[in-house]
Amino acid sequence: MATPGAEEDALARYRSPLVSRYASAEMGFNFSERKKFGTWRRLWLYLAQAEKSLGLPITDEQIQEMEANLDNIDFNMAAEEEKKLRHDVMAHVHTFAHCCPKAAAIIHLGATSCYVGDNTDLIVLRDGFNLLLPKLARVISRLTDFAEKYADLPTLGFTHYQPAQLTTVGKRCCLWIQDLCMDLQNLERARDDLRFRGVKGTTGTQASFLQLFEGDHSKVEELDRLVTAKAGFKRAYMVTGQTYSRKVDIEVLSVLASLGASIHKICTDIRLLANLKEIEEPFEKEQIGSSAMPYKRNPMRSERCCSLARHLMTLVLDPLQTASVQWFERTLDDSANRRVCLAEAFLTADIILSTLQNISEGLVVYPKVIERRIRQELPFMATENIIMAMVKAGGNRQDCHEKIRVLSQQAAAVVKQQGGDNDFIDRVRADPYFSPIHKQLESLLDPSSFTGRAPQQVAKFLKEEVRPALIPYQSKMGGKIELAL
């Protein structure tokens, strides 16, 4: 057998489809090894710069050497070091020191592994939110345009997935938008609530730094403040164990799981509407819906969103369990779990937002199908209007009610037992009893008279709640998105 090349060797190993098939390059990089270890080196630089500014014997030459080698990472050397040391942080300390021999003695000075590990995680989480938020805003913006366009188009409403009063296509879309606006607020809050772990030492007491500064508490506090600012955070957690509280991860994944629930509901609605042939997601000219049934137009994008959203919703269970079993100042049984669940949550959220953006940019509405379904159900909904009109014309309510009861049951039998169209109105027209209102029947059956304030609600909601929430993201709305797969 021929020796496999690099490409064949890569194909012989499992790769997460979240990265290889779906996620954006930006989110993939955010959780990459290069981003992670490059951030470690920057954190070591921030620490050295701050320690120097507070009087520790660190030279400009050492700082410059570290600055020059931030991205000069020998990953092969680091891997060999980790095999020997069985410690990823010390492996990268040695690798950084190898290309910074003058600074070797002061790299990681006073710090514990979680100084780079946890602080990097917090930076990555923050940056992940910053990638997701404009994407979510774009989805809301696209759906807002859709809701505005169809604000007045009557459609059959459903409760219990049974025909109910009419609403409008735009008003139904506003239900989706409202959930996503809640998610936008939740993601912003979760991002803004993130703090830096800072420089806290082995068990969070800052003992090593207090020793470095010979008992000067003010310098230790200033060191924490300086490094926190350099990392782009306004605040650090005042107390930590060896790690920041793992409840932070619960908060982060909770809002992402909630986003997953919103998108699952939206895409389920779209799938149901596709079955009714009222609304369809985009369908490419050469796209194949089924290998066996050429006529099919499966809602595969919405199905993908639902599939991945279910995964996203389950991931919050990991940090819930992890936080509950962190003994005292920390245990290491969080590490392997967090490597998986944190990255997968953001990657999955990234994928479903991109997919939903693509869906929302190409939703197709079929007004004639919607109108036909309304015609099938509206006659029964109009019975109360007919009774009121007859009473105004001098009829007796009880007599009218009985007439309508009989006619509506006859029409229902035609629909349910014979598979025919709803002929209730034809029966009313044919009955001389209803002759006083025959000329009013068209106006009594106007679908727009059954949608209440739906159009006005759409206009007010979009103007007062949705568009103001999108203002911070106006410069990042971008063009349409095309899916690779």
Side-chain angles (χ1 to χ4, degrees):
M1 182 181 293
T3 303
E7 183 177 348
E8 289 81 0
D9 187 56
L11 294 173
R13 302 179 63 183
Y14 173 78
R15 295 183 300 164
S16 169
L18 293 177
V19 174
S20 65
R21 188 175 178 89
Y22 298 129
S24 67
E26 296 82 4
M27 191 62 79
F29 174 75
N30 191 50
F31 287 92
S32 69
E33 299 288 271
R34 185 167 294 281
K35 166 82 177 271
K36 174 181 176 180
F37 297 127
T39 304
W40 283 13
R41 291 194 173 188
R42 282 162 177 79
L43 287 168
W44 282 320
L45 173 64
Y46 299 157
L47 181 62
Q49 289 173 328
E51 288 175 335
K52 177 181 182 296
S53 71
L54 291 169
L56 292 189
I58 296 172
T59 67
D60 289 337
E61 191 176 24
Q62 289 173 314
I63 296 294
Q64 291 164 5
E65 189 179 52
M66 294 173 73
E67 288 175 333
N69 287 281
L70 290 176
D71 297 309
N72 178 26
I73 304 175
D74 187 336
F75 287 98
N76 291 328
M77 179 181 179
E80 289 301 316
E81 288 288 332
E82 187 171 354
K83 282 182 183 178
K84 291 188 297 182
L85 303 174
R86 309 299 295 178
H87 196 290
D88 56 350
V89 173
M90 289 310 300
H92 276 270
V93 168
H94 288 188
T95 303
F96 196 19
H98 179 76
C99 58
C100 298
K102 296 175 182 177
I106 55 95
I107 292 173
H108 197 65
L109 182 60
T112 187
S113 299
C114 286
Y115 166 70
V116 289
D118 271 33
N119 283 324
T120 292
D121 286 345
L122 290 162
I123 290 170
V124 167
L125 295 179
R126 177 197 64 195
D127 293 352
F129 278 128
N130 285 335
L131 290 172
L132 292 180
L133 281 162
K135 292 192 173 192
L136 177 52
R138 283 197 292 271
V139 170
I140 294 171
S141 174
R142 305 310 190 259
L143 290 175
T144 296
D145 293 340
F146 180 85
E148 195 167 55
K149 181 177 180 180
Y150 295 102
D152 300 320
L153 181 61
T155 190
L156 186 62
F158 292 94
T159 59
H160 315 276
Y161 202 34
Q162 302 299 312
Q165 284 190 343
L166 300 191
T167 182
T168 69
V169 172
K171 170 62 188 301
R172 175 177 285 150
C173 183
C174 284
L175 299 179
W176 304 341
I177 294 170
Q178 181 169 249
D179 287 351
L180 293 176
C181 283
M182 292 172 65
D183 294 314
L184 188 73
Q185 290 178 333
N186 288 339
L187 264 65
E188 288 173 339
R189 175 189 52 76
R191 178 199 60 189
D192 295 343
D193 282 351
L194 286 174
R195 302 189 193 185
F196 200 54
R197 178 188 175 271
V199 286
K200 298 296 195 298
T202 306
T203 58
T205 66
Q206 298 178 303
S208 59
F209 297 105
L210 191 62
Q211 184 175 6
L212 281 174
F213 289 105
E214 298 179 345
D216 190 329
H217 290 268
S218 63
K219 285 191 174 181
V220 175
E221 289 186 5
E222 181 64 6
L223 176 70
D224 205 1
R225 190 195 67 76
L226 286 172
V227 176
T228 297
K230 287 176 180 291
F233 286 82
K234 295 179 180 178
R235 298 179 299 170
Y237 296 107
M238 294 186 70
V239 294
T240 71
Q242 190 170 88
T243 68
Y244 67 80
S245 171
R246 293 310 184 218
K247 281 184 70 68
V248 173
D249 296 342
I250 297 174
E251 293 298 309
V252 169
L253 265 64
S254 289
V255 298
L256 297 181
S258 183
L259 171 65
S262 298
I263 294 179
H264 198 295
K265 184 264 192 291
I266 293 167
C267 290
T268 299
D269 284 356
I270 292 172
R271 292 165 66 189
L272 293 170
L273 291 167
N275 173 261
L276 298 175
K277 297 181 174 61
E278 292 188 6
I279 291 180
E280 286 183 342
E281 65 178 36
F283 199 87
E284 306 297 338
K285 184 182 295 185
E286 298 182 9
Q287 183 176 331
I288 295 175
S290 167
S291 60
M293 295 166 279
Y295 60 87
K296 291 189 75 180
R297 291 169 66 95
N298 298 334
M300 51 82 74
R301 291 169 174 83
S302 298
E303 290 173 316
R304 178 187 299 175
C305 284
C306 289
S307 181
L308 290 171
R310 287 200 297 273
H311 177 59
L312 178 56
M313 288 185 282
T314 64
L315 288 172
V316 72
L317 295 176
D318 278 341
L320 281 167
Q321 295 181 74
T322 294
S324 71
V325 297
Q326 284 300 286
W327 303 344
F328 304 113
E329 280 65 47
R330 78 89 49 104
T331 60
L332 196 59
D333 61 345
D334 63 336
S335 179
N337 185 288
R338 294 175 70 253
R339 289 175 190 266
V340 176
C341 71
L342 295 180
E344 288 202 355
F346 278 87
L347 289 164
T348 306
D350 179 71
I351 295 160
I352 60 178
L353 282 173
S354 294
T355 308
L356 185 56
Q357 180 184 337
N358 178 264
I359 293 169
S360 61
E361 288 172 345
L363 283 174
V364 181
V365 178
Y366 296 104
K368 292 299 183 183
V369 177
I370 294 173
E371 181 183 344
R372 183 178 185 278
R373 183 157 287 107
I374 289 174
R375 287 200 308 268
Q376 285 289 94
E377 301 294 341
L378 191 59
F380 293 147
M381 298 178 193
T383 55
E384 186 65 22
N385 288 7
I386 293 173
I387 292 173
M388 292 300 102
M390 280 295 296
V391 170
K392 288 180 181 179
N396 179 282
R397 187 194 184 283
Q398 279 63 43
D399 293 341
C400 185
H401 184 278
E402 179 60 21
K403 285 275 188 180
I404 286 179
R405 186 186 69 82
V406 173
L407 295 180
S408 63
Q409 288 187 358
Q410 292 171 351
V414 171
V415 173
K416 295 179 179 179
Q417 296 174 21
Q418 301 176 26
D421 291 336
N422 188 332
D423 63 359
F424 172 72
I425 296 301
D426 292 335
R427 293 175 185 273
V428 171
R429 284 197 177 99
D431 193 324
Y433 175 81
F434 293 100
S435 59
I437 63 165
H438 281 169
K439 292 182 179 180
Q440 300 179 47
L441 285 176
E442 287 300 323
S443 62
L444 291 174
L445 290 167
D446 180 4
S448 63
S449 68
F450 289 82
T451 59
R453 297 192 64 254
Q456 290 76 22
Q457 288 178 342
V458 171
K460 186 177 179 67
F461 173 63
L462 297 182
K463 178 182 178 181
E464 296 185 11
E465 292 198 23
V466 181
R467 297 198 187 281
L470 297 179
I471 289 174
Y473 305 97
Q474 289 299 328
S475 64
K476 299 180 181 179
M477 287 304 176
K480 288 190 174 183
I481 190 168
E482 300 294 335
L483 297 183
L485 288 172

